[in-house]
Each structure stands twice: as structure tokens, then as C-alpha cells.
Amino acid sequence: MTVALTSRRASDVRVIGLISLAHGSSHFFHLILPPMFPWLKDAFALSYAELGLLMSVFFLISCIAQAGSGFLVDRIGARPVLFGGIGLLILAALIYSQSNGYAMLLMGAVIAGCGNGIFHPVDYTLINHKVSPPNLPYAYSMHGVTGYLGWAAAPAFMVAIAQLTDWRIAFLSAAVLEALILLILWLNKSQLIDDVKERHAQSHSSAQTINPGSAPISSFAFLRLPAVWFCWIFFFFSMASTSSLQSFAPSSLFKIYQTPLDIGSYFITLLALGSASGVLFGGYLAAKLQAPERIVSFFFSITIVMCLLLGTGLVSAEIIPLIFFALGFGYGVVAPSRDLLVKLATPKGVAGRVYGIVYSGIDLGAAVGPFIFGFFMDAGLPKALFIGIALFQLLIIPTVFKVSAITAPKTA
């Protein structure tokens, strides 16, 4: 019994480690482009709106790919979809590195979006299927932490290499790094097999629960669950605010506080490190309080105030790094409560589809946010970035109360 338990725990650790590595690499690729905006702006005489559109295209394509890849994962399994997605990210970085104009940058953004769109359906399908229930909280926590670490690493990695060499070498280096990650996953591919037939059986059973007595059962029956769509709204506004901050905070801080652009890029790293710390604390808090609506409303209220303070232009330059770390911490604290609510709203056997749809809200939000704020930046209104982000966060709070109410156990 003890041997079996030890073997199960070791298997869980390997699976969690591999999936978390893949997830961290996807978040790394979210931010290989924004830190290069100052270089690309000068190299190709681009406007902020054009640069923001690159991120909008990336996340819009990722949104479409994510919704579709969830069905593909449920049909053919997670592993081949994972390897294909990572291959596309490598190709995108190579295209960025060889770009001779805006058209090639757009092509790279499209390919990167296709690659990025597969990760959440793949990751959560593997986690829910391969990790034993007692270790699921640790899996969610590590998955979230490595995502934020990927965000933290990208600006520092890209800016440092671009300063030492040039922006093309920075993109080539990102491609090499992702290729090494693909090699690690390939060498451990036996740990990434999920039982597709078993999940198909679970899907049929859960669909009967959603729509009892009907035949045949629609693959889209889960879309009638209100909790799925409230989760989608939560993710949409959350990522619209985060991606806008990641894309334009360095430029906004330069215009408002005269903060050098390279220093502003490192503030994005602080934001991500704060988020990673917040996820660890948020996992403990979610288990302790069992009140996601209270956690989200409290910590988003704090981040809203901080964004508004940054938007006033009156904050001392010395405390801006602390504000960015604290902002990230607040974002991270709410993540475990968010993921738990999505898990509670997900019928058995359709994890790929539900996570594909729900997490497409992340990509669409990330597409809309930078596109909108790019126009404000071109109009010379950098303070609007922080005020708009505060508004987006305010709109998140009611959604978590609705999801919590829908998923709460019913008592007689």
C-alpha cells in the first residue's frame, strides 16, 4: 500500500512538473513581443496602435484556436496537440526574428496565436485526468505559478539579449529555448498520455446529467450552463486588464513619470513575480476561507485603488516598483479561487471543451485590451491606461459572486 502510494505521488510530481513547464513556456511567449515594442517601433516606424494590434491578433487567433482545440483534445488526446502547439511557437519566434516589415510580424502573431491556443485545454485535461485528487490543489498552484514565472522571465530575457545584441537575436534565443522545452517533453512523452476512451464515456454520462433522457447527446450541451459563461466573462475582463498593463505600462510610465523604458520593462517582471507569490498565498487562502467571492472582491478592490493612484501621476517614483509587485500579488491571490470555480462548473469528461471555451475569454480579453489602449497611447493619454484597467477590474467582481452562487451546494 505504501509503495503504491509513493509511486502515485512520484507520478503526480512528474506530470505536474512537465505540464507546468509547458504552461510556463506558453506564458513566456505571451510576452516575447511587447518588450520588443521600442525596438520594433524604431525599426519599422510603427505606431502604438499598430503594435497593440499585433497583440490583439495574437490573442484573437489564440481565442479561436483555444475554443476549437478543446474539442480536438477530447477527440485525439492531449499529447499530440501539445507537441503541435509548441512547434508552432518555435516557428513564430523564427518568423519574428527574420521579419522585414509589419506583414511578417503579423504572420508571426497569427502562428503564435495558433500555438498558444492549445495550452489550457491540454494542461487542465492532463491535470484532471493524470493527477490524483488529493494532489490537485498542488497541481493547480504549480500550474499557475509557472505561468506567472513565464511572464516574469520573458521581459528580462528579451530585453537583456536585445541590449547585448539586437532584437532579432532575442527572438532567435526564444525559439531555441522553446525547442529545448519541446525536447524535454518529448523525452518524457510517456507521462503525457491520457485515456481518450475513458473521457468519452465520462462525457456521455455528464451530458445525460445536463440533458437527461435525450438521445443523441449534443457535444455542446455544456454551453447551456450559466456558470461557464460567467467564468468566461471573469476571464475576459481579467486578461484585458493584465495584457494592457503588460503591453503599455513601460511606455505609460515613461510618459507620466519619465521612467526609462528598459526599467519599465523590468517592472513587468516584478508584476509577474508578485503574481507568482500571490498564487501560493491564494491557494492557502482559498482552502482556508472557502469564499472565492470575498477573496476576489477584497484583493481586486486593492488593485483598483493602486491603478487609480498610478493614473494620477502623483505617485513617487521610488514606490512604483512596490506598487507593481503588489498589483501582481493581488492578481495572483485570486487565481486559485478562480480555477476552483471553473473546476466546480465543469461536468466530467468534457474538461477540454469547457476549459477551451472558458479560457478563450482570456485570449479575447487580451486581444481587445491592447487594441483599445493603443489608441489612447497614440492620442497622448497614458494615464487612461491605468484608469481603464481599474474599470476592467471593477467589472470582474460581480461575476465571481454569480459563479459562486450557481456552484454552491444546494441545501434543502
Side-chain angles (χ1 to χ4, degrees):
M1 184 71 175
T2 303
V3 174
L5 182 61
T6 302
S7 177
R8 176 73 261 184
R9 185 179 296 115
S11 176
D12 285 355
V13 169
R14 286 193 294 271
V15 171
I16 293 169
L18 291 169
I19 296 170
S20 297
L21 176 64
H23 184 236
S25 77
S26 77
H27 277 242
F28 181 89
F29 265 73
H30 289 182
L31 291 184
I32 67 168
L33 200 54
M36 297 297 96
F37 280 177
W39 282 270
L40 296 175
K41 189 176 190 297
D42 292 339
F44 301 118
L46 301 176
S47 68
Y48 284 111
E50 288 173 319
L51 292 169
L53 182 60
L54 290 174
M55 294 306 297
S56 297
V57 168
F58 167 77
F59 282 111
L60 181 60
I61 296 298
S62 182
C63 172
I64 297 169
Q66 187 149 210
S69 66
F71 290 87
L72 188 61
V73 167
D74 285 341
R75 180 168 295 276
I76 69 172
R79 188 177 68 179
V81 180
L82 174 62
F83 290 162
I86 292 178
L88 289 173
L89 292 182
I90 296 170
L91 177 60
L94 292 174
I95 291 174
Y96 286 148
S97 72
Q98 301 304 310
S99 292
N100 56 13
Y102 193 67
M104 282 191 71
L105 291 173
L106 276 174
M107 183 191 305
V110 169
I111 294 173
C114 291
N116 181 71
I118 61 92
F119 281 92
H120 285 121
V122 164
D123 293 352
Y124 283 105
T125 295
L126 286 170
I127 286 173
N128 291 335
H129 186 77
K130 301 284 287 185
V131 177
S132 56
N135 289 327
L136 279 176
Y138 303 104
Y140 291 142
S141 179
M142 185 57 66
H143 183 265
V145 166
T146 53
Y148 289 119
L149 291 177
W151 276 346
F157 180 90
M158 298 298 290
V159 170
I161 294 177
Q163 288 178 329
L164 290 173
T165 56
D166 62 33
W167 61 270
R168 294 185 185 276
I169 299 299
F171 283 125
L172 279 174
S173 300
V176 171
L177 181 62
E178 191 71 3
L180 291 174
I181 291 172
L182 178 58
L183 177 61
I184 293 171
L185 296 175
W186 177 263
L187 293 175
N188 293 274
K189 59 182 181 293
S190 62
Q191 299 293 322
L192 302 174
I193 301 173
D194 59 316
D195 191 334
V196 179
K197 291 183 179 179
E198 179 184 338
R199 290 195 288 108
H200 285 174
Q202 291 177 341
S203 175
H204 180 80
S205 174
S206 63
Q208 285 284 4
T209 301
I210 297 170
N211 192 18
S214 64
I217 301 301
S218 171
S219 297
F220 299 90
F222 72 95
L223 293 176
R224 292 198 292 271
L225 297 172
V228 169
W229 294 108
F230 282 116
C231 288
W232 187 93
I233 294 170
F234 184 116
F235 279 59
F236 174 84
F237 284 116
S238 177
M239 195 59 188
S241 61
T242 302
S243 64
S244 300
L245 196 62
Q246 291 169 336
S247 295
F248 293 121
S251 297
S252 293
L253 292 173
F254 174 73
K255 292 179 180 294
I256 300 172
Y257 298 99
Q258 291 74 54
T259 303
L261 288 172
D262 56 341
I263 300 299
S265 293
Y266 286 109
F267 288 170
I268 303 303
T269 296
L270 282 176
L271 181 79
L273 290 174
S275 298
S277 303
V279 167
L280 295 176
F281 178 65
Y284 165 79
L285 207 60
K288 183 82 171 176
L289 297 181
Q290 296 292 316
E293 68 284 353
R294 288 163 53 193
I295 294 171
V296 172
S297 59
F298 177 78
F299 282 94
F300 269 154
S301 295
I302 294 175
T303 59
I304 287 168
V305 170
M306 290 183 178
C307 285
L308 292 175
L309 284 174
L310 286 171
T312 64
L314 302 177
V315 173
S316 170
E318 289 76 14
I319 69 169
I320 291 177
L322 294 177
I323 289 179
F324 270 80
F325 185 88
L327 276 173
F329 187 84
Y331 292 158
V333 167
V334 306
S337 295
R338 174 202 69 189
D339 288 342
L340 180 60
L341 285 174
V342 177
K343 175 69 167 62
L344 293 174
T346 303
K348 290 183 179 179
V350 293
R353 276 166 272 182
V354 171
Y355 282 104
I357 292 296
V358 168
Y359 279 82
S360 70
I362 285 182
D363 293 326
L364 190 59
V368 169
F371 181 70
I372 292 174
F373 288 109
F375 286 101
F376 283 104
M377 295 296 296
D378 284 333
L381 298 171
K383 294 180 181 180
L385 174 71
F386 299 108
I387 296 171
I389 288 171
L391 176 61
F392 283 161
Q393 292 171 9
L394 182 63
L395 293 172
I396 291 169
I397 294 175
T399 67
V400 75
F401 280 92
K402 294 294 294 185
V403 176
S404 183
I406 291 170
T407 59
K410 302 298 187 293
T411 56

